[in-house]
Amino acid sequence: MSDNNIVGVEYNRVTNTSSTDFPGHQANGDYAWDIEKFKDKFEINISYKTDRTANFDLINIDTAIANAFRRIMISEVPSVAAEAVYMFMNTSVIQDEVLAHRIGLIPLRVDPDKMNWVDKTQSPEDRYTEDNTIVLTLDVVCTKNPHAPKNSTNPKELYRNAHVYARDLKFEPHGKQAELFKDLPVVAADPDILIAKLRPGQEISLRAHCILGVGCDHAKFSPVSTASYRLMPVIDIVEPIRGDSAVRFQKCFPSGVIGINADGEAYVKDARKDTVSREVLRHEEFDGKVKLGRKRDHFIFNVESTGAMAPEEIFFKSLLVLKNKVEYLRNCPIGQ
Amino acid sequence: MAPKRKAVKLEAESDEAFQELFQPEYRGKKLTDEINTAEDKWNLLPAFLKVKGLVKQHLDSFNYFVDVDLKKIIRANELVLSDVDPEFYLKYLDIRVGHKSSSAPGTKEVILPPHECRLRDLTYSAPIYVDVEYTRGRKIIMHKDLEIGRMPVMLRSNKCILDGINDKQMAKFDECPLDPGGYFVVNGTEKVILVQEQLSKNRIIVEADEKKGIVQASVTSSTHERKSKTYVITKNDKIYLKHNSISEDIPIVIVLKAAGITSDLEILQLVCGSDPQYQDLFVVNFEEAAKLEVFTQQQALNYVGKRVKTIRRAGAAKLSVLQEGIEAIATTVIAHITVADLQFREKALYIATMARRVVMTMHNPKMVDDRDYVGNKRLELAGQLMSLLFEDLFKKFNSDFKANIDKILKKPSRTSEFDALLSINIHSNNITMGLNRAISTGNWSLKRFKMERAGVTHVLSRLSYISALGMMTRISSQFEKSRKVSGPRALQPSQFGMLCTSDTPEGEACGLVKNLALMTHITTDDEEAPIRKLCYVLGCENILGIDSATLHSQGNFGIYLNGTLIGTSRFPSKFVTDFRRLRRTGKISEFVSIYTNTHQTAVHIATDGGRICRPLIIVKNNEPMVKAEHLLKLRQGEWAFDDFLSHGLVEYLDVNEENDSLIALYEKDLDPSQPVTHLEIEPFTVLGAVAGLIPYPHHNQSPRNTYQCAMGKQAIGAIAYNQFRRIDTLLYFMVYPQQPMVKTKTIELIDYDKLPAGQNATVAVMSYSGYDIEDALVLNKSSIDRGFGRCQVVRKNTIQLKRYPNHTKDIVSGMRVDEDGEPIFPHKALGPDGLGEIGARVENGQVYANKFVPTNAGESVLGHNEQMAGAESHREAAAYYKGPEPSYVDQVMMSVSDNDQALIKVLLRQTRRPELGDKFSSRHGQKGVCGIIVQQEDLPFNDDGISPDIIMNPHGFPSRMTVGKMIELISGKAGVLNGSLEYGTCFGGSKLEDMSKILVEKGFSYSGKDMLYSGITGECLQAYIFFGPIYYQKLKHMVLDKMHARARGPRAVLTRQPTEGRSRDGGLRLGEMERDCVIAYGASQLLLERLMISSDAFEVDVCNKCGLMGYNSWCTTCKSFEHVIKMTIPYAAKLLFQELLSMNIAPRLKLGDVF
């Protein structure tokens, strides 16, 4: 491990943060860019993957590239969200704009590949077609529950439809859409999002037109709730730490980071678990005995999907977007 | 960190706001938990606020007025007699507000629920009923429940229907249960009568002017009849009495002689006692009296009588000089002491006391009183002001009534027997109108006190819950704002615990407008007579029975009741202790105060209203009286705050008594070596309700807390639970308000957590992009997309449909359509009824109420043609919407106001997301505007992928020294990680060390500083960034309301220059300083263009011969065309020349070639 690759985590500053202008290059030796070499060194380890979260490591890749993935996932991977809400009736306490805003922010489970982009150049009347727009309806009327338990004060028991949830948004297929979304009808990714509360006599009736968009336009189109990375922590015990001191040393880290061996000497068990709280640097006792750092080319990615797509799919899409960008740049007349 | 901390439960909140405070499991403490008196004594505070509340002073005062004071006023003015018929009389027996004598107890007769009054522009009032007895012919008739007018009712007072009802009933009335009340609804607007601060009445104030060598003792006497000021003043070391209605100053000895103390020895004894130094100072005064040859009482009275300014009413008999003298001494001088049967002794003693205070001050200049001392101040509340007003109106009512019956009784022959009641009703409108007008305009003009006060009432600010609450605790001073004296504005040590130390405005009203602290009470008047009797029982020797020689003898303490000497005691400390014991057992009112003044060798007892007082725990034998068992009873709900009072564990102290006590701040300060008398209930009660919102204020530089107090009132948030039912001129709501992560106990007590105004923003303290200089903030676009800082602005538009005398009336007509049947553009938002449809979008230039007025409204009724009646012609007078952004119709209300005219209110709503230039502030007086809005991916992020909502520049910290904000961040961060709400209560709250420990436990840095990655490069930032949640408020100043630019537009008629101001679409002024810059730069052509060509260029004809202006190339002065030259000058210059001409000044223009 070369020191050149470690971001130094010191008591009051972070050193050696920036990579060189020549990614993968180092002062000594021949590190000229070589795709084969990259292929050889580059690693992806998947720590875990659920339907909403993926955690994986990208190792030996340049910061710029890793950051590009993060940025693209947040703002440029397209997803579907409600854009125009047509109110037919809204007698709830929530104002039309706020209701529309809330509906817009509900993540929808739609495969964006099945949708086309809305052509902004067309007139607003014929801009929206069955190819690019999904219509969701919400029609709820709150009534008194005649069979409410006595002495109940819970509005959910007293009234019907007192709470309007995201699951009440119903897909209204148009044209080929019924066929297209046969296997996977459009629903809210989280059915339990509370949209509004109603009381008897109040009514909401609306149509929401959902289109394809990107996160940089509005956060509702972002397919991730967060996509980010952290650098792999490095703990370097310079001088051996033993005995009670080792126990105290262990306590400076989250559990499982530092182990104590049979000799009572502290060793780094799993640096990945460290949150880099820098607690150890606060204690004079360990002054000079430990060096903290982070590996600059080891990115621990964490992608949390809002539910529209699987997290890994979002990552793949970010690759595609990046590829398209590169393609575009390559075709640009500049620099030729 | 307290081990009992637990996560906040997100269960449905109980209806009763205060009930929660007494729940078995309260703020993480169970009933069975051990009680620690030192920590849990703060439970007394919610208990206090439960019985008193924050606006209780207003309610108490109003209740006292309607229940007690009204009856006193009636008794003082009970008889109406006729000058014509000596047989006739009318006597008022009783007065009631809001219920008849026959109605069931607890009836509250008010016109309509308050909210309906607000909506319909009515006055929330209740009828005033009187019982009268009068003569009709030979018979005496009793008449009950005669309505003489309507009294505006203070909300939540005991005459209000909202008094004592539960939250569910409140909801039925469309009222917010958290609304404090204490204001009036007059003509649909909410009006508050601010608390007025003034110097106490009927008390002697001694002042000295050391430069001029003047000492003066003054007393403002205030009775129901009149208000006058009496001075005892030194002039060339001699003492005189001065009064407005006596033309010259009277030597004090003559006054005392006139008041019946004829013996010089007795005068000396009364003023100086046996002190030779005082005697030396005073003795010159005898010479003066002797020189004037005044020796007897009669001579003295004649002397005074000669100098009285007589203002005789016509018809009254002329008095002799002696009678004038007697009258002056008996009623004019020191009017608040009444003289019965020419017994002047009390008054003589009072004057002697004043003289003695002057002599004492002459001897020792330090004996002066401090005008700014809070103990010398009285607060005048709504009730007192209303009672002044009512008495004035009632007197007017009676005199009008008398004039009226005199007119009728004068008529020699009457067909029927005269019934006075028939004419009493004519005037009933006067009282109603008088009260309404005074409250709605704020002008209190009372002839009998020569009082002319403007700005007594204010419109209740409904910007946010806090601004309304802050207004209810506000105190305005009578002191003039323009005078440059620092004394009244300075923070007085005596306002500790009574008036908030932080909450005062900046600028001209600084220090003059104050706010009440959290745990205060303002007294109402108490009966004096029983206290006087009690004093005599307790061993006070009656002043009338004391020999003058012993009055000021060594060790003899004077006992003063409300500033008047009533007796003496040789054992003042025993007297005071006994008195206090009686008060603590509840035998006398808890608000009567008693204290010893050793400098004046006096014991002062005060029962008057308007004193500020606050409760304290009594300490006996170095042990606080409140024990764990008592607090347990409080927690179990067995005891209320009043039980602590009645058991003598807690008592109220006013400022004077507080300064005579030794109060320990904490239990640890109870020191056996010192005679500690009281223990503070909670130290954070030195702050008021608004300053109580600040977390960790004790870590902040003090002006910052003051700034926050001003800004907290401008924050947009929730207003009240009925906010969407309100139709106010202008309201701001926050779409997603949050309760602060770092609360204070005050926040919980005033329910700010239920009606918050702000959001918890994740803040990174770092520099970013350069668009954050000068306190500007960087906002995260994704946060804004998700609803951060989103607010709504609703504006009321009132349309009245008038009826005209010629039977025509305004109408609302339907929309106009174009050839396709579509409504024309300005009518897009209208419905078939001609009013905006709810939910419709109204754009600039569109109509929201299509009103038409009759074209012939001015035509007289007489010329009204019968045939024309059917075909009234109308002209359009529609209400157009004007604004840079469209609005949506929120509500439309149609009603009938009290003069039978249709009233339409259209509420227009805008939802705004934060934009560049919108103002935000944290709770530490750190305001800033949004400088740039940044995409989320460009913002820095931490290991968890969290990016900040706001980036704040670190330069905001060093000079402002708002350490509290940093601690708020750390506590907030710990709270977020721990799932708890932390406290930042003043002088307490969650400890920084505990918070930092939580951070470490959760894997964050101890210091609150995180390692962040740049969102742009993706690399680590080189510095650790202070990162965590801070509560941010959005302030009402938004760009949308302020933005303004114009290329061309309207001009003023007179000067033809562009108009001024945004509201008139005015031009932007190139002022003197800008002009200077352009001159310095040498751009003279630019100057010409800006100042003349683009402004008010005007072509004039100037005669080069006479230099005056002509027209049409003709000089009217020279009568020739010859020398007339055309030139362009500013129209304003031409106007100036003509105005000068009209004043006989001829400005002549001399023209010459430039090049």
Side-chain angles (χ1 to χ4, degrees), chain B residues 70 176 227 243 397 740 763 780 823 844 862:
Chain B
L70 273 185
C176 174
K227 225 160 129 184
H243 192 277
F397 173 80
V763 178
N780 180 339
N844 192 18
L862 295 172

Side-chain angles (χ1 to χ4, degrees), chain A residues 10 71 97 101 219 229 294, chain B residues 785 909 911 938 943 1018 1024:
Chain A
E10 289 178 25
R71 292 168 59 93
E97 301 96 292
H101 175 233
Y229 58 77
R294 306 193 98 168
Chain B
D785 287 344
R909 155 169 49 88
T911 303
D938 287 340
D943 274 5
Y1024 297 115

